[in-house]
Amino acid sequence: MTFVTKLDFASGDRDVLAETVAELKTDLERKGTECKGPHASPAETVRVPQYKRLRPGDEFSPWSYDVYKRSMEIHGSDEIARDVVARDFPDSIHVEVEVDRKKPLGHRRD
């Protein structure tokens, strides 16, 4: 059975995100791990209302910022995937991890 580790990264700082993901990709390639990505998604603009008082009504113009996203997949090599997940990423990057088990083609269900 093969494990596929899916990593989703999101950040408001595009440069830190790009640098971190490129560094991770280089490390994975150096270790000989099969890796797909990073894949970029279009930036998402988030708008946050700002109220002049503690109750809704009088408002300042909304605060808006862009969120940049990248995704990667690590195939097999669950030990290296564990090392990646245990890494300390910058505080400005949100990381989500999903692990799937893939059965080989032709494998019967029991």
Side-chain angles (χ1 to χ4, degrees):
M1 231 174 284
T2 303
F3 288 93
V4 177
T5 306
K6 297 176 184 179
L7 302 165
D8 292 319
F9 302 91
S11 178
D13 190 340
R14 183 190 328 197
D15 296 332
V16 170
L17 179 64
E19 180 182 320
T20 302
V21 172
E23 182 180 300
L24 177 60
K25 173 81 173 180
T26 302
D27 289 350
L28 291 172
E29 287 174 344
R30 192 168 17 99
K31 292 178 181 180
T33 304
E34 183 183 345
C35 176
K36 293 185 180 179
H39 304 289
S41 299
E44 183 179 316
T45 301
V46 178
R47 296 190 186 285
V48 180
Q50 299 184 84
Y51 299 106
K52 292 183 179 181
R53 293 183 176 45
L54 294 177
R55 63 188 188 307
D58 233 1
E59 294 183 16
F60 294 109
S61 58
W63 176 52
S64 65
Y65 60 96
D66 292 329
V67 176
Y68 304 95
K69 297 182 180 184
R70 303 286 184 275
S71 62
M72 296 176 74
E73 289 184 2
I74 301 170
H75 292 262
S77 192
D78 45 324
E79 183 179 322
I80 292 175
R82 257 188 248 115
D83 291 343
V84 168
V85 172
R87 268 188 186 198
D88 286 331
F89 291 101
D91 290 338
S92 63
I93 297 178
H94 176 76
V95 182
E96 290 185 14
V97 180
E98 181 181 334
V99 179
D100 285 336
R101 281 188 349 196
K102 301 286 182 180
K103 295 183 179 180
L105 289 176
H107 188 273
R108 278 189 17 202
R109 286 184 157 179
D110 292 336

